[in-house]
PDB file of all heavy atoms in Angstrom:
ATOM      1  N   TYR G 399     -40.891  22.560  48.159  1.00 97.00           N
ATOM      2  CA  TYR G 399     -40.814  23.432  49.339  1.00 97.00           C
ATOM      3  C   TYR G 399     -40.648  22.575  50.601  1.00 97.00           C
ATOM      4  O   TYR G 399     -39.942  22.958  51.534  1.00 97.00           O
ATOM      5  CB  TYR G 399     -42.070  24.296  49.470  1.00 97.00           C
ATOM      6  CG  TYR G 399     -42.069  25.548  48.616  1.00 97.00           C
ATOM      7  CD1 TYR G 399     -43.251  26.003  48.017  1.00 97.00           C
ATOM      8  CD2 TYR G 399     -40.908  26.295  48.433  1.00 97.00           C
ATOM      9  CE1 TYR G 399     -43.257  27.150  47.250  1.00 97.00           C
ATOM     10  CE2 TYR G 399     -40.919  27.450  47.666  1.00 97.00           C
ATOM     11  CZ  TYR G 399     -42.090  27.871  47.076  1.00 97.00           C
ATOM     12  OH  TYR G 399     -42.102  29.012  46.322  1.00 97.00           O
ATOM     13  N   ALA G 400     -41.302  21.414  50.615  1.00 95.00           N
ATOM     14  CA  ALA G 400     -41.177  20.527  51.786  1.00 95.00           C
ATOM     15  C   ALA G 400     -39.747  19.981  51.878  1.00 95.00           C
ATOM     16  O   ALA G 400     -39.190  19.846  52.973  1.00 95.00           O
ATOM     17  CB  ALA G 400     -42.181  19.379  51.678  1.00 95.00           C
ATOM     18  N   ALA G 401     -39.156  19.707  50.722  1.00 93.00           N
ATOM     19  CA  ALA G 401     -37.775  19.184  50.724  1.00 93.00           C
ATOM     20  C   ALA G 401     -36.755  20.290  51.012  1.00 93.00           C
ATOM     21  O   ALA G 401     -35.671  20.006  51.530  1.00 93.00           O
ATOM     22  CB  ALA G 401     -37.475  18.525  49.377  1.00 93.00           C
ATOM     23  N   PHE G 402     -37.099  21.537  50.667  1.00 95.00           N
ATOM     24  CA  PHE G 402     -36.191  22.677  50.869  1.00 95.00           C
ATOM     25  C   PHE G 402     -36.908  23.739  51.720  1.00 95.00           C
ATOM     26  O   PHE G 402     -37.345  24.768  51.187  1.00 95.00           O
ATOM     27  CB  PHE G 402     -35.796  23.310  49.530  1.00 95.00           C
ATOM     28  CG  PHE G 402     -35.057  22.405  48.587  1.00 95.00           C
ATOM     29  CD1 PHE G 402     -35.730  21.692  47.606  1.00 95.00           C
ATOM     30  CD2 PHE G 402     -33.670  22.268  48.663  1.00 95.00           C
ATOM     31  CE1 PHE G 402     -35.041  20.856  46.723  1.00 95.00           C
ATOM     32  CE2 PHE G 402     -32.982  21.440  47.790  1.00 95.00           C
ATOM     33  CZ  PHE G 402     -33.667  20.723  46.820  1.00 95.00           C
ATOM     34  N   PRO G 403     -37.024  23.492  53.030  1.00 95.00           N
ATOM     35  CA  PRO G 403     -37.794  24.433  53.860  1.00 95.00           C
ATOM     36  C   PRO G 403     -37.260  25.855  53.818  1.00 95.00           C
ATOM     37  O   PRO G 403     -38.041  26.812  53.964  1.00 95.00           O
ATOM     38  CB  PRO G 403     -37.690  23.840  55.270  1.00 95.00           C
ATOM     39  CG  PRO G 403     -36.830  22.637  55.196  1.00 95.00           C
ATOM     40  CD  PRO G 403     -36.538  22.322  53.775  1.00 95.00           C
ATOM     41  N   ARG G 404     -35.967  26.016  53.573  1.00 96.00           N
ATOM     42  CA  ARG G 404     -35.441  27.394  53.513  1.00 96.00           C
ATOM     43  C   ARG G 404     -35.981  28.149  52.315  1.00 96.00           C
ATOM     44  O   ARG G 404     -36.110  29.377  52.342  1.00 96.00           O
ATOM     45  CB  ARG G 404     -33.916  27.380  53.533  1.00 96.00           C
ATOM     46  CG  ARG G 404     -33.446  27.422  54.993  1.00 96.00           C
ATOM     47  CD  ARG G 404     -32.105  26.893  55.241  1.00 96.00           C
ATOM     48  NE  ARG G 404     -31.034  27.587  54.568  1.00 96.00           N
ATOM     49  CZ  ARG G 404     -29.794  27.079  54.518  1.00 96.00           C
ATOM     50  NH1 ARG G 404     -29.531  25.906  55.077  1.00 96.00           N
ATOM     51  NH2 ARG G 404     -28.838  27.748  53.931  1.00 96.00           N
ATOM     52  N   LEU G 405     -36.291  27.447  51.257  1.00 97.00           N
ATOM     53  CA  LEU G 405     -36.920  28.109  50.099  1.00 97.00           C
ATOM     54  C   LEU G 405     -38.375  28.437  50.423  1.00 97.00           C
ATOM     55  O   LEU G 405     -38.884  29.493  50.019  1.00 97.00           O
ATOM     56  CB  LEU G 405     -36.840  27.219  48.861  1.00 97.00           C
ATOM     57  CG  LEU G 405     -35.441  26.908  48.323  1.00 97.00           C
ATOM     58  CD1 LEU G 405     -35.556  26.071  47.054  1.00 97.00           C
ATOM     59  CD2 LEU G 405     -34.659  28.195  48.040  1.00 97.00           C
ATOM     60  N   ALA G 406     -39.035  27.543  51.154  1.00 97.00           N
ATOM     61  CA  ALA G 406     -40.440  27.780  51.508  1.00 97.00           C
ATOM     62  C   ALA G 406     -40.569  29.055  52.341  1.00 97.00           C
ATOM     63  O   ALA G 406     -41.502  29.840  52.141  1.00 97.00           O
ATOM     64  CB  ALA G 406     -40.989  26.582  52.283  1.00 97.00           C
ATOM     65  N   GLU G 407     -39.605  29.266  53.226  1.00 97.00           N
ATOM     66  CA  GLU G 407     -39.637  30.482  54.058  1.00 97.00           C
ATOM     67  C   GLU G 407     -39.401  31.744  53.236  1.00 97.00           C
ATOM     68  O   GLU G 407     -39.684  32.844  53.697  1.00 97.00           O
ATOM     69  CB  GLU G 407     -38.526  30.416  55.123  1.00 97.00           C
ATOM     70  CG  GLU G 407     -38.763  29.391  56.203  1.00 97.00           C
ATOM     71  CD  GLU G 407     -37.471  29.041  56.945  1.00 97.00           C
ATOM     72  OE1 GLU G 407     -36.480  29.816  56.849  1.00 97.00           O
ATOM     73  OE2 GLU G 407     -37.455  27.993  57.599  1.00 97.00           O
ATOM     74  N   ARG G 408     -38.825  31.590  52.048  1.00 97.00           N
ATOM     75  CA  ARG G 408     -38.428  32.755  51.253  1.00 97.00           C
ATOM     76  C   ARG G 408     -39.154  32.831  49.911  1.00 97.00           C
ATOM     77  O   ARG G 408     -38.640  33.403  48.952  1.00 97.00           O
ATOM     78  CB  ARG G 408     -36.906  32.688  51.003  1.00 97.00           C
ATOM     79  CG  ARG G 408     -36.092  32.882  52.271  1.00 97.00           C
ATOM     80  CD  ARG G 408     -34.648  32.447  52.125  1.00 97.00           C
ATOM     81  NE  ARG G 408     -33.868  32.744  53.320  1.00 97.00           N
ATOM     82  CZ  ARG G 408     -33.920  32.044  54.455  1.00 97.00           C
ATOM     83  NH1 ARG G 408     -34.709  30.971  54.552  1.00 97.00           N
ATOM     84  NH2 ARG G 408     -33.180  32.380  55.491  1.00 97.00           N
ATOM     85  N   ARG G 409     -40.359  32.261  49.848  1.00 97.00           N
ATOM     86  CA  ARG G 409     -41.112  32.189  48.582  1.00 97.00           C
ATOM     87  C   ARG G 409     -41.181  33.518  47.831  1.00 97.00           C
ATOM     88  O   ARG G 409     -41.066  33.548  46.609  1.00 97.00           O
ATOM     89  CB  ARG G 409     -42.569  31.808  48.858  1.00 97.00           C
ATOM     90  CG  ARG G 409     -42.791  30.407  49.254  1.00 97.00           C
ATOM     91  CD  ARG G 409     -44.222  30.233  49.714  1.00 97.00           C
ATOM     92  NE  ARG G 409     -44.364  28.947  50.368  1.00 97.00           N
ATOM     93  CZ  ARG G 409     -45.238  28.019  49.989  1.00 97.00           C
ATOM     94  NH1 ARG G 409     -46.078  28.236  49.016  1.00 97.00           N
ATOM     95  NH2 ARG G 409     -45.292  26.872  50.616  1.00 97.00           N
ATOM     96  N   GLN G 410     -41.434  34.584  48.572  1.00 97.00           N
ATOM     97  CA  GLN G 410     -41.664  35.885  47.917  1.00 97.00           C
ATOM     98  C   GLN G 410     -40.408  36.755  47.889  1.00 97.00           C
ATOM     99  O   GLN G 410     -40.471  37.910  47.500  1.00 97.00           O
ATOM    100  CB  GLN G 410     -42.808  36.640  48.601  1.00 97.00           C
ATOM    101  CG  GLN G 410     -44.135  35.885  48.617  1.00 97.00           C
ATOM    102  CD  GLN G 410     -44.560  35.379  47.245  1.00 97.00           C
ATOM    103  OE1 GLN G 410     -44.243  35.965  46.209  1.00 97.00           O
ATOM    104  NE2 GLN G 410     -45.266  34.256  47.224  1.00 97.00           N
ATOM    105  N   GLN G 411     -39.292  36.176  48.313  1.00 97.00           N
ATOM    106  CA  GLN G 411     -38.038  36.946  48.329  1.00 97.00           C
ATOM    107  C   GLN G 411     -37.374  36.880  46.955  1.00 97.00           C
ATOM    108  O   GLN G 411     -37.461  35.869  46.258  1.00 97.00           O
ATOM    109  CB  GLN G 411     -37.124  36.308  49.389  1.00 97.00           C
ATOM    110  CG  GLN G 411     -36.003  37.199  49.858  1.00 97.00           C
ATOM    111  CD  GLN G 411     -35.316  36.587  51.085  1.00 97.00           C
ATOM    112  OE1 GLN G 411     -35.980  36.114  52.008  1.00 97.00           O
ATOM    113  NE2 GLN G 411     -34.007  36.583  51.075  1.00 97.00           N
ATOM    114  N   GLN G 412     -36.691  37.970  46.574  1.00 97.00           N
ATOM    115  CA  GLN G 412     -35.982  37.965  45.284  1.00 97.00           C
ATOM    116  C   GLN G 412     -34.810  36.993  45.351  1.00 97.00           C
ATOM    117  O   GLN G 412     -34.068  36.979  46.346  1.00 97.00           O
ATOM    118  CB  GLN G 412     -35.456  39.357  44.987  1.00 97.00           C
ATOM    119  CG  GLN G 412     -36.537  40.302  44.482  1.00 97.00           C
ATOM    120  CD  GLN G 412     -35.935  41.508  43.788  1.00 97.00           C
ATOM    121  OE1 GLN G 412     -34.847  41.941  44.111  1.00 97.00           O
ATOM    122  NE2 GLN G 412     -36.653  42.049  42.834  1.00 97.00           N
ATOM    123  N   ALA G 413     -34.644  36.216  44.287  1.00 97.00           N
ATOM    124  CA  ALA G 413     -33.587  35.201  44.282  1.00 97.00           C
ATOM    125  C   ALA G 413     -32.209  35.824  44.494  1.00 97.00           C
ATOM    126  O   ALA G 413     -31.346  35.239  45.150  1.00 97.00           O
ATOM    127  CB  ALA G 413     -33.621  34.425  42.963  1.00 97.00           C
ATOM    128  N   GLY G 414     -32.015  37.040  43.946  1.00 96.00           N
ATOM    129  CA  GLY G 414     -30.714  37.695  44.062  1.00 96.00           C
ATOM    130  C   GLY G 414     -30.305  38.011  45.490  1.00 96.00           C
ATOM    131  O   GLY G 414     -29.127  38.232  45.764  1.00 96.00           O
ATOM    132  N   SER G 415     -31.298  38.034  46.410  1.00 96.00           N
ATOM    133  CA  SER G 415     -30.977  38.357  47.802  1.00 96.00           C
ATOM    134  C   SER G 415     -30.688  37.108  48.639  1.00 96.00           C
ATOM    135  O   SER G 415     -30.417  37.219  49.831  1.00 96.00           O
ATOM    136  CB  SER G 415     -32.125  39.150  48.426  1.00 96.00           C
ATOM    137  OG  SER G 415     -33.253  38.312  48.576  1.00 96.00           O
TER     138      SER G 415
END
Side-chain angles (χ1 to χ4, degrees):
Y399 278 143
F402 298 94
R404 271 157 62 192
L405 296 183
E407 290 161 17
R408 292 164 175 76
R409 288 171 192 237
Q410 302 308 330
Q411 199 169 315
Q412 282 198 330
S415 69

